[in-house]
Amino acid sequence: MDTKIGSLDVVKPPCNDIVSCNQTNSAAIQPCVPSAVINGCGDSTLGGHLARRLVEVGVTDVFSVPGDFNLTLLDHLIAEPALNVVGCCNELNAGYAADGYARARGVGACVVTFTVGGLSVLNAIAGAYSENLPLICVVGGPNSNDYGTSRILHHTIGLPDFSQELRCFQTITCFQAVVNNLEDAHELIDTAISTALKESKPVYISISCNLPGIPHPTFSRDPVPFSLSPRLSNKLGLEAAVEAAAEFLNKAVKPVLVGGPKLRVATAGEAFVELADACGYALAVMPSAKGQVPEHHPHFIGTYWGAVSTAFCAEIVESADAYLFAGPIFNDYSSVGYSLLLKKEKAIIVQPDRVVIANGPAFGCVLMKDFLKGLAKRLKHNNTAYENYHRIFVPEGHPLKAAPKEPLRVNVLFQHIQNMLSGETAVIAETGDSWFNCQKLKLPKGCGYEFQMQYGSIGWSVGATLGYAQAVPEKRVIAFIGDGSFQVTAQDVSTMLRSGQKTIIFLINNGGYTIEVEIHDGPYNVIKNWNYTGLVDAIHNGQGKCWTAKVFCEEELVEAIATATGPKKDSLCFIEVIVHKDDTSKELLEWGSRVSAANSRPPNPQ
């Protein structure tokens, strides 16, 4: 592969843009919740204003951990009738929950305390930044009178420096607001929230602990609507980009389309499907875009992931003479250790606001949605690549039939999982072998799907499952979590129970960090085995609806699924699946060896 294709995502050519951006008129964000239900505190306080703003942009659940610097602020958030404050077991999980919530709702929020809470939530905020999620991280800060003094405060490292936390957040948020006076508070809060929405990245807001309850004239009873500059394509650049792309693709014999994860941030999913409908090309997704393109589309051919693609997908994509990637991220994981057989001269790379055509020009200030819609009207219908796929495709065989009471195999497990999926479910896949097994699931229309590929933080799924389920209560979330990952963040199963969630968690117990084993094995990948169902039963402690099961064979699995989807359909169901430590997908074996090879490359000669 020409590995430079991977750099297209992050490196912009210095001087070859055809056009420059235009400034446009401002427009107001339409509230996601009717103003009639935004009934905050009547005293026009900073805390009440923040609560109403969160509800206005669509946040009706905030994930929090209390600390003495944020307690008064939490009082005001709780007082907002349209806002539900969800107490989490630790800050990391609160951040992960806000991440999962943002994936379903478009924006999420968490509230923690100064430094001890802020530094604990950093990892989750970094993950949200990597995945382009608008997340509002609010920190209860020091008393406003302490700024500018030489006082040493608790919850700090013992130096009279209140900027340590801020400096940490500066590299993983797109805007930082330190609110330590009432005069600037309205502007800073509104700017932070609007920046999160515009940039689709996390923001940091620190609010001094003595300010949330003080009335101030700037906090009007009905907040002034946000004023944002809508992003519009440069008209001439858009026309030029569409013309150049259409000429490039219409000359191709067997072009294909591949959707990438930045379809989400560009809100271009519908436009991408519109293009696929119009052109007839074979349609694939990158692994981290699974769930963002309808898999029931008639020309859908699966996940393109190089050597570990779904059956026959890579052969079609890599043999194409032209491919359009919409919103790709080419990193070492998605490129399987930089081993994709792609050629830059065959590729059109469409990013949220930029189009690059092969080795030719780059078109700046061209929005993905506008470009895809314009291109759909200019392409000739060409289904050659899809016909080739249909011609060579051979359905994967069923797993070998299990003998009675035979130890459960992972491929048998996921055969049964496939039958559980519907438009009323959503899948959360934890970092690990669940990435590869879940990629092979065929998602029915309306079935949600989320995993964290770019950041790949082990343990992400527990908090993300909590947040996603809270955001979309009408769906039943089915989470697949490895035992090693679960040990990192298990506590917030407690919060799922307190919130009355009905998630089904499949805990895959294979005795360690299997994904790490396949990259580089060592004794550090083996973990202490827990009685996971016993742990969840102890967390349940008779409060809330919970059901657990431990399964060793297919017969027990079938019975457990029947119970979870039948008599216990309104309960949180935790099913511990015992499998052999070496029972992994063939895709993980292949992927692990290639990533290992990439990680172990010797230094270049100096």
Side-chain angles (χ1 to χ4, degrees):
M1 171 192 173
D2 180 354
T3 56
K4 289 185 179 179
I5 197 167
S7 66
L8 293 175
D9 180 59
V10 293
V11 179
K12 296 183 178 180
C15 300
N16 62 343
D17 280 359
I18 299 299
V19 294
S20 60
C21 295
N22 285 339
Q23 294 297 319
T24 59
N25 296 325
S26 64
I29 291 181
Q30 296 301 315
C32 297
V33 177
S35 58
V37 302
I38 305 177
N39 299 316
C41 303
D43 53 358
S44 298
T45 61
L46 185 160
H49 174 73
L50 175 63
R52 293 193 297 273
R53 278 303 198 210
L54 291 174
V55 173
E56 186 180 16
V57 299
V59 175
T60 55
D61 300 271
V62 172
F63 302 92
S64 71
V65 177
D68 59 327
F69 287 120
N70 70 10
L71 297 178
T72 303
L73 176 60
L74 290 175
D75 287 340
H76 287 269
L77 298 182
I78 291 171
E80 168 56 58
L83 194 62
N84 177 38
V85 177
V86 181
C88 296
C89 296
N90 59 51
E91 291 85 3
L92 179 62
N93 277 338
Y96 285 155
D99 172 312
Y101 193 91
R103 291 167 184 265
R105 285 286 187 91
V107 60
C110 60
V111 180
V112 299
T113 197
F114 184 58
T115 307
V116 290
L119 299 190
S120 289
V121 81
L122 277 173
N123 190 53
I125 303 304
Y129 190 97
S130 76
E131 301 273 325
N132 298 292
L133 298 171
L135 196 158
I136 301 160
C137 181
V138 182
V139 175
N143 187 292
S144 61
N145 298 301
D146 290 329
Y147 281 92
T149 70
S150 59
R151 293 170 180 160
I152 295 175
L153 293 184
H154 68 288
H155 289 344
T156 71
I157 59 172
L159 298 176
D161 176 9
F162 299 166
S163 66
Q164 179 199 20
E165 179 184 82
L166 170 64
R167 295 196 307 273
C168 292
F169 274 94
Q170 283 175 335
T171 58
I172 58 170
T173 56
C174 65
F175 186 85
Q176 306 84 37
V178 177
V179 180
N180 54 21
N181 68 82
L182 291 172
E183 286 69 25
D184 295 335
H186 188 291
E187 180 182 359
L188 286 172
I189 288 171
D190 283 10
T191 301
I193 294 175
S194 61
T195 303
L197 296 172
K198 286 191 294 185
E199 301 295 327
S200 198
K201 294 282 190 183
V203 294
Y204 164 86
I205 304 174
S206 172
I207 298 177
S208 288
C209 60
N210 60 326
L211 299 184
I214 302 176
H216 194 270
T218 58
F219 305 128
S220 60
R221 187 68 183 85
D222 294 316
V224 177
F226 287 120
S227 181
L228 298 180
S229 297
R231 303 181 68 189
L232 301 177
S233 297
N234 179 286
K235 186 177 180 181
L236 293 177
L238 174 62
E239 292 174 355
V242 168
E243 181 178 351
E247 181 182 2
F248 182 85
L249 291 170
N250 283 333
K251 291 190 298 186
V253 177
K254 44 184 180 179
V256 298
L257 299 178
V258 184
K262 291 190 178 180
L263 282 170
R264 188 207 303 270
V265 66
T267 62
E270 290 185 6
F272 187 67
V273 173
E274 182 180 322
L275 174 62
D277 290 339
C279 68
Y281 297 179
L283 171 63
V285 292
M286 298 184 74
S288 48
K290 186 176 177 68
Q292 296 183 42
V293 173
E295 298 188 4
H296 60 277
H297 191 280
H299 288 167
F300 184 76
I301 65 171
T303 298
Y304 173 63
W305 200 353
V308 295
S309 301
T310 53
F312 301 99
C313 182
E315 292 82 351
I316 295 300
V317 172
E318 294 179 346
S319 67
D321 54 346
Y323 18 74
L324 184 150
F325 280 81
I329 294 178
F330 294 105
N331 60 24
D332 51 340
Y333 273 15
S334 66
S335 67
V336 198
Y338 312 112
S339 65
L340 301 184
L341 300 179
L342 299 176
K343 298 294 183 182
K344 184 178 178 182
E345 61 270 17
K346 295 182 180 181
I348 295 179
I349 306 296
V350 187
Q351 293 297 0
D353 58 0
R354 187 180 189 79
V355 178
V356 180
I357 300 178
N359 291 319
F363 298 85
C365 288
V366 174
L367 298 186
M368 184 189 296
K369 184 188 302 183
D370 297 337
F371 173 77
L372 297 178
K373 284 180 175 288
L375 187 60
K377 300 172 183 176
R378 296 288 302 275
L379 291 185
K380 299 175 183 177
H381 191 272
N382 183 343
N383 62 355
T384 302
Y386 180 74
E387 287 185 342
N388 287 345
Y389 170 79
H390 191 68
R391 192 175 293 116
I392 68 173
F393 180 76
V394 177
E396 289 195 83
H398 293 293
L400 294 174
K401 186 169 178 58
K405 300 297 181 179
E406 176 188 339
L408 186 63
R409 301 192 306 272
V410 171
N411 55 20
V412 172
L413 165 65
F414 278 90
Q415 183 183 27
H416 289 280
I417 298 303
Q418 179 67 68
N419 297 330
M420 296 177 66
L421 303 184
S422 71
E424 298 177 347
T425 61
V427 173
I428 304 289
E430 174 59 85
T431 301
D433 201 20
S434 293
W435 276 7
F436 303 91
N437 289 304
C438 289
Q439 280 292 332
K440 292 180 282 188
L441 294 173
K442 185 76 171 179
L443 301 182
K445 182 178 181 180
C447 182
Y449 186 94
E450 296 293 345
F451 79 125
Q452 189 195 60
M453 185 172 188
Q454 172 60 38
Y455 202 58
S457 185
I458 288 177
W460 162 86
S461 64
V462 175
T465 295
L466 164 65
Y468 193 98
Q470 194 68 19
V472 194
E474 65 274 15
K475 287 187 183 292
R476 193 167 196 194
V477 177
I478 305 174
F480 299 92
I481 309 175
D483 51 342
S485 299
F486 189 72
Q487 289 196 10
V488 178
T489 49
Q491 305 97 313
D492 271 284
V493 169
S494 168
T495 312
M496 298 177 194
L497 289 167
R498 291 176 62 195
S499 302
Q501 295 182 357
K502 55 186 180 181
T503 294
I504 302 174
I505 295 175
F506 285 92
L507 188 287
I508 301 174
N509 186 346
N510 55 11
Y513 295 111
T514 303
I515 191 169
E516 312 291 8
V517 168
E518 303 309 332
I519 296 174
H520 183 91
D521 201 4
Y524 30 74
N525 292 325
V526 179
I527 61 174
K528 172 72 173 67
N529 191 35
W530 292 0
N531 179 359
Y532 295 97
T533 53
L535 174 67
V536 173
D537 286 336
I539 291 173
H540 174 218
N541 198 27
Q543 298 175 327
K545 295 182 178 180
C546 181
W547 177 79
T548 65
K550 193 187 300 275
V551 303
F552 294 86
C553 61
E554 184 177 14
E555 293 88 342
E556 293 173 349
L557 174 68
V558 170
E559 183 179 346
I561 291 174
T563 302
T565 56
K568 299 298 181 181
K569 64 181 179 181
D570 294 326
S571 301
L572 186 144
C573 296
F574 184 90
I575 302 173
E576 180 183 354
V577 180
I578 310 297
V579 297
H580 193 277
K581 67 181 182 67
D582 294 324
D583 186 357
T584 63
S585 65
K586 67 181 181 65
E587 290 82 8
L588 175 56
L589 296 175
E590 174 78 20
W591 179 89
S593 63
R594 289 175 182 263
V595 170
S596 176
N599 287 351
S600 58
R601 286 167 296 163
N604 290 326
Q606 299 299 315

